[in-house]
Amino acid sequence: PGTHLTMARVAIALGSNLGDRLDHIRAGLAGLERLGPIVAVSRVHETEPVGGPEQGRFLNAVAVVDTSVVPLDVLARLLEVERSRGRERTVRWGPRTLDLDLIAYEGERLSLPTLEVPHPRAHERGFVLAPLAEVWPDAELADGSTAEVALGVIRSSGIRRWEGSWRTEPPLLGR
């Protein structure tokens, strides 16, 4: 018997509202490559902050990765990439250089003190749902809905989608 590792599809949300926001999410995306092949990347969405103190607008995107890394190790890698970009966790929902969240992990439901999968509030957040529905509309969320269905239910005003491939060139501000 071998030690065959099963591949799973995961969705990771990327966000930044401090410093060079685009550079931070590009670095975050590059850091995800160590988890496995990146199979899809949404466009960039510029959004208003939700909760927390008054702060600047976010750039948000979602990457879909095929990985054999278990959920807790995915979380550890995300925290490591955040720290490499100067992320400090001093104010809950405060401004940040880079925020990486594990939104969905195919076939997994976890409720641990340090990690809940699917993300417990993703189905309420337009800044997650808009890019997620672009790249994985059938991703299952904590409330049992899919990204596409949940996006149709919430109000997603205040989200501006940037056009173009932000991975290599400056995107254009879209609608």
Side-chain angles (χ1 to χ4, degrees):
T3 55
H4 176 70
L5 295 175
T6 306
M7 294 294 274
R9 184 147 289 186
V10 300
I12 297 162
L14 303 96
S16 175
N17 75 337
L18 279 180
D20 187 335
R21 301 174 301 167
L22 187 58
D23 188 57
H24 288 308
I25 63 171
R26 281 178 173 157
L29 186 64
L32 300 183
E33 291 173 350
R34 288 186 27 205
L35 293 173
I38 296 172
V39 296
V41 179
S42 74
R43 285 173 281 193
V44 168
H45 295 72
E46 190 173 36
T47 64
E48 295 292 338
V50 174
E54 190 169 317
Q55 56 191 298
R57 292 174 65 87
F58 275 85
L59 291 186
N60 295 102
V62 168
V64 177
V65 180
D66 283 344
T67 190
S68 58
V69 179
V70 298
L72 281 172
D73 290 344
V74 170
L75 175 63
R77 176 68 187 132
L78 299 183
L79 294 173
E80 180 183 307
V81 174
E82 286 179 350
R83 280 190 301 272
S84 77
R85 298 305 291 187
R87 170 76 189 265
E88 293 178 9
R89 294 176 180 274
T90 52
V91 177
R92 183 177 170 96
W93 295 325
R96 56 210 82 149
T97 53
L98 181 62
D99 187 27
L100 300 173
D101 284 323
L102 178 55
I103 301 301
Y105 192 109
E106 185 178 40
E108 289 285 337
R109 283 194 166 269
L110 291 174
S111 185
L112 304 170
T114 57
L115 178 63
E116 285 188 62
V117 175
H119 191 286
R121 291 171 300 284
H123 64 280
E124 303 168 347
R125 295 178 167 176
F127 65 88
V128 172
L129 293 172
L132 179 60
E134 241 180 68
V135 292
W136 191 5
D138 297 332
E140 190 176 327
L141 303 175
D143 68 344
S145 70
T146 64
E148 188 172 51
V149 168
L151 181 60
V153 169
I154 66 152
R155 268 193 34 211
S156 57
S157 61
I159 297 175
R160 296 189 297 179
R161 187 176 67 214
W162 290 20
E163 301 298 335
S165 175
W166 60 272
R167 294 172 78 171
T168 56
E169 56 199 50
L172 303 171
L173 182 59
R175 53 185 177 82

